Each structure stands twice: as C-alpha cells, then as structure tokens.
C-alpha cells in the first residue's frame, strides 16, 4: 500500500502569526511534522511514500530530498519527492496521481495530527474495505471552515456540507482510496474544479462507495495556537 503527503502549502497564516519555521518542519514532540508522518507510514509497511513539496520552500524540499537520499534509516521504504507549486490540495493530489493510481493508497496533508492508534485502526479497516474510499472523520470541530460529513447508520457518507446540517462529524483530511477514484479526480481537474471537498462531493455524485471512519480527534495546524493544542493532544493518552 502506498502513502502520500501533501506538503506544498506556503503556511501563510502561520507566518503572519510569527512562526518562522515552514509548516512541515514545525516540531511536535521533538519530531518534524513531515518526519512524524513518514515514521507512522513506515510502521504501516508502506511500499512507497510520495511527498509533494513547494519548490518555493527550499528548506522543506531540501529536507525531503535528504530523507530520500541520506535518511534511509529513517525511511527504509521507497520515498518519492515531487517539487511542484500547486493552487490547491486537489491539484497536488492530481500531480501525485500517476504514482498512486494502480494500487490502494492513503493520502493526507502534512498538518493532520492524530493518535497513532487511531491511524493504525483506520489502515487495518481499509485493508478489508470493499468500497472505493474510506474517509477519516472526527467529532472534534476546531476549524475555521470545516467540511461537515453526513453519515448513515453504517457510516456510509451521504453528503459533504459547508454548514453543520445536523452532521455529527467533520472531515479529518485523511483519505484511504482505491484506483477507482481516479476518473473522478481527472474529471474535477478537467472541469476546473478545485479544493478537495469538491472532489469528495463528486465521488458521491459519481456513485462511488464512500464510508467514514471516526478518529477520536484530528487537529489541523493552521495557526500558531494550534501548535500548542497539538503538543498537548499528543501528550495525552
């Protein structure tokens, strides 16, 4: 199984709030956020990890290439690094799609902070999943613009909304998917759509089988205050 990390954002909100470090290189529990994900993916026996970085962030690109070339003890599986400036996470996904489209994969942004036990259970569930996409969700809502997820009793996803709409969960930004989702991605790109939430909506419109998998909590590091929240969360068992 392959794993992919979108680390191509500029982290502009963090910089405006005085955070000097590029987002993927912010330390949580002594680990860079990018390193943490790679370590966790390696524990899940990743066959390959694909990371997309922004060439306008040379510190992140340089570190990713170091992991690829010199950090084999840290990442013993194949590590592929793409340097590309993209306008959205969905476009970053598209740039990585040629490396992902032939086997099941897990995709996430670099700033998703979660408990490793939750993630392990998520990946184990996906190994026996018969649908097209299994989406991480959480009932912890602490985002400026959350994507609300409507679920049925069996956790089938029936809608994605910009407002609460009586939904229990929001999207956690972690996606396990199969190659069957790629035509939908290519359609979204061809139609000029952007944002991952539009891709998720299109999956439902195209009739794909999409289910939710609840995590206890997922924190996105978008603001300086989120760094302390994430640190405290990871320290709490």
């Amino acid at each position: 199984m392959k794993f992919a990390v979108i680390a191509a954002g500029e982290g502009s909100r963090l910089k405006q709030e005085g955070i000097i470090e590029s987002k993927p290189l912010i330390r949580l529990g002594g680990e860079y956020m990018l390193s943490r994900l790679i370590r966790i993916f390696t524990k899940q026996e990743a066959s390959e990890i694909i990371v997309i970085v922004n060439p306008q962030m040379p510190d992140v690109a340089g570190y990713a290439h170091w992991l690829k070339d010199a950090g084999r003890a840290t990442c013993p599986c194949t590590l592929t690094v793409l340097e590309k400036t993209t306008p959205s996470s969905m476009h970053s996904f598209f740039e990585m799609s040629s490396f992902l489209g032939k086997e099941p994969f897990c995709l996430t942004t670099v700033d998703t902070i979660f408990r490793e036990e939750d993630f392990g259970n998520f990946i184990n569930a996906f190994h026996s999943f018969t649908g097209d996409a299994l989406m991480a969700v959480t009932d912890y809502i602490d985002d400026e613009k959350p994507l609300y997820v409507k679920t049925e009793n069996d956790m089938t996803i029936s809608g994605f909304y910009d407002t609460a709409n009586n939904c229990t969960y929001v999207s956690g930004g972690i996606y396990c998917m199969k190659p069957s989702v790629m035509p939908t991605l290519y359609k979204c790109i061809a139609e000029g759509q952007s944002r991952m939430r539009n891709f998720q909506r299109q999956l439902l419109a195209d009739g794909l089988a999409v289910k939710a998998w609840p995590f206890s909590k997922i924190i996105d590091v978008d603001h300086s205050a989120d760094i302390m929240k994430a640190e405290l969360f990871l320290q709490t068992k």
Side-chain angles (χ1 to χ4, degrees):
M1 180 175 171
K2 295 187 178 183
F3 292 78
V5 184
I6 298 172
E10 296 181 357
S12 56
R13 284 173 291 188
L14 287 168
K15 285 183 169 55
Q16 290 170 3
E17 295 171 5
I19 303 301
I20 299 173
E21 297 86 355
S22 298
K23 184 187 286 191
L25 301 183
I26 290 174
R27 290 183 184 271
L28 295 175
E31 285 183 292
Y32 293 138
M33 287 202 293
L34 178 57
S35 297
R36 179 176 184 270
L37 286 175
I38 289 174
R39 175 181 60 77
I40 292 170
F41 295 164
T42 300
K43 286 175 65 176
Q44 294 298 326
E45 300 181 352
S47 61
E48 181 179 6
I49 299 173
I50 301 96
V51 180
I52 185 167
V53 299
N54 192 331
Q56 297 179 21
M57 300 170 67
D59 53 344
V60 178
Y63 181 68
H65 283 293
W66 177 84
L67 286 174
K68 175 184 176 181
D69 298 332
R72 301 295 292 178
T74 304
C75 182
C77 67
T78 300
L79 179 62
T80 299
V81 179
L82 305 179
E83 290 192 48
K84 190 80 174 182
T85 301
T86 59
S88 72
S89 293
M90 191 179 76
H91 286 82
S92 292
F93 177 24
F94 173 73
E95 294 295 337
M96 293 189 287
S97 62
S98 62
F99 296 89
L100 297 172
K102 295 183 180 179
E103 65 181 88
F105 61 91
C106 177
L107 170 72
T108 184
T109 52
V110 75
D111 60 348
T112 50
I113 308 303
F114 48 80
R115 288 196 171 96
E116 292 184 42
E117 180 181 0
D118 285 348
F119 187 76
N121 292 335
F122 176 56
I123 297 301
N124 287 337
F126 184 60
H127 286 317
S128 59
F129 181 64
T130 58
D132 301 293
L134 190 63
M135 307 288 190
V137 298
T138 178
D139 60 6
Y140 175 76
I141 304 173
D142 186 33
D143 196 294
E144 291 177 334
K145 296 180 179 179
L147 177 63
Y148 293 90
V149 182
K150 184 73 172 179
T151 56
E152 304 304 315
N153 290 337
D154 65 349
M155 297 305 288
T156 292
I157 295 176
S158 55
F160 294 99
Y161 303 100
D162 293 328
T163 57
N165 206 35
N166 295 317
C167 297
T168 300
Y169 300 107
V170 296
S171 174
I174 310 169
Y175 322 94
C176 277
M177 296 183 280
K178 296 183 179 177
S180 53
V181 307
M182 290 307 183
T184 296
L185 173 64
Y186 300 147
K187 178 195 295 186
C188 288
I189 294 294
E191 293 177 351
Q193 296 188 52
S194 63
R195 306 188 73 187
M196 282 296 292
R197 63 183 58 194
N198 293 331
F199 164 71
Q200 290 169 262
R201 289 173 175 137
Q202 192 62 50
L203 289 174
L204 300 185
D206 288 349
L208 276 71
V210 184
K211 284 195 173 186
W213 184 267
F215 280 51
S216 58
K217 184 186 286 190
I218 299 173
I219 296 176
D220 289 337
V221 179
D222 292 322
H223 295 280
S224 57
D226 296 331
I227 299 173
M228 182 57 68
K229 289 179 186 178
E231 284 275 16
L232 292 174
F233 169 54
L234 292 178
Q235 292 171 12
T236 304
K237 301 299 182 181

